[in-house]
Amino acid sequence: MKYRKLAVGLVLAVVVLSGALLLLGGALASLTTSMFGASRMISKSMEPYGVVLRTPFKGGKRLPPEAKPLEWRVVLPRAFVTIEIGTNGAIAPGGRRESRWYEWPARRTFFIDFETVIDLKTDQLTPAVLSDPARLKDNFLNITLSNSSRYPRVKSDEYCIRDDDYDSSIVEDGIADQVHPCSSTPRCGINTIVDGWDVRLIVSRAIYNQPQKMCAAAGRFLSEHTIKRDSIR
């Protein structure tokens, strides 16, 4: 009887501890969303999901007050969308960030991640959440879109460069964020531009040496799912 009570007590303790951890995880996720506007959004749904990027800048210069913000509208299966930071449809910020740093991401700008895997034979992209582990390891391609611009003007319309090959002299106007070479991490960064909009790619190290192929595949994928895109050149 003594051991039975002890076993029951241990089982109850595990159940209580598990519930507490789940509640803590949910609370932390909620806090992260409220403070930073970040939300992890994993889903296997193929229902359409709409994304709106908006900016009041063209060619690095602010539009007149009466002008409508320039837009990029993308509609794609929900399974591609993994992370949102900020508010979908928010207008890009201008000038310096507000002193209340914890409010800036959620209220003033918007970033979104599409996680995919690439078929190297066809260059077709499919949702990473629906892929097997082997393909996810070697063929991972994450696409990050933003309503803010790190590179307002660059010298090449076909800008596509790995973090290891980054050269700050390519920037004509505006200050680019510092780019660090890829070290021993399993995934590395590639930067490109579509109609003046920044597109950041994170790819498996196995395909990092094919930047032009990755940029072209991402560009076609985005064009296929674009409903409207104003050029911000």
Side-chain angles (χ1 to χ4, degrees):
M1 182 65 70
K2 178 180 179 181
Y3 292 109
R4 180 179 298 176
K5 289 182 178 180
L6 179 61
V8 171
L10 288 174
V11 170
L12 289 174
V14 170
V15 170
V16 171
L17 179 60
S18 299
L21 290 175
L22 285 173
L23 289 173
L24 178 61
L28 289 174
S30 178
L31 180 63
T32 301
T33 300
S34 62
M35 289 184 65
F36 303 104
S39 177
R40 187 73 173 170
M41 304 178 60
I42 301 299
S43 170
K44 294 184 178 181
S45 171
M46 296 303 288
E47 292 296 316
Y49 188 85
V51 174
V52 181
L53 306 175
R54 304 173 71 207
T55 179
F57 293 92
K58 185 176 179 66
K61 297 181 180 180
R62 181 175 285 277
L63 297 170
E66 65 275 10
K68 292 182 178 180
L70 302 177
E71 292 186 346
W72 187 357
R73 294 180 175 269
V74 178
V75 176
L76 74 175
R78 174 69 178 74
F80 283 107
V81 181
T82 54
I83 296 177
E84 286 190 1
I85 300 178
T87 303
N88 195 339
I91 299 176
R96 295 183 179 180
R97 300 179 183 179
E98 295 177 352
S99 58
R100 293 180 297 181
W101 57 271
Y102 55 86
E103 293 182 343
W104 173 73
R107 296 190 178 187
R108 302 204 61 194
T109 197
F110 176 58
F111 298 83
I112 189 163
D113 281 4
F114 305 142
E115 289 189 2
T116 81
V117 295
I118 182 171
D119 185 321
L120 296 179
K121 294 181 179 179
T122 65
D123 288 351
Q124 293 298 306
L125 305 184
T126 53
V129 70
L130 302 179
S131 299
D132 61 81
R135 294 191 66 211
L136 193 60
K137 176 179 180 295
D138 293 331
N139 293 34
F140 179 82
L141 193 162
N142 180 84
I143 303 172
T144 299
L145 301 185
S146 169
N147 63 357
S148 61
S149 179
R150 294 194 302 167
Y151 310 109
R153 293 181 185 175
V154 294
K155 297 179 179 179
S156 172
D157 290 335
E158 301 300 324
Y159 182 83
C160 175
I161 191 166
R162 307 184 311 166
D163 284 353
D164 283 275
D165 304 322
Y166 172 76
D167 182 356
S168 60
S169 66
I170 196 170
V171 179
E172 291 183 346
D173 183 21
I175 300 174
D177 291 348
Q178 186 176 2
V179 176
H180 300 282
C182 186
S183 55
S184 58
T185 57
R187 295 171 180 172
C188 307
I190 300 173
N191 306 285
T192 188
I193 290 179
V194 177
D195 282 347
W197 298 86
D198 288 337
V199 179
R200 169 79 170 166
L201 309 179
I202 300 295
V203 305
S204 300
R205 181 172 287 278
I207 54 178
Y208 183 53
N209 63 345
Q210 304 179 64
Q212 296 297 332
K213 184 180 181 69
M214 299 303 111
C215 288
R220 281 192 297 270
F221 171 81
L222 293 171
S223 293
E224 289 171 1
H225 296 287
T226 290
I227 303 302
K228 171 191 176 185
R229 182 172 63 220
D230 297 322
S231 173
I232 63 174
R233 284 274 184 207

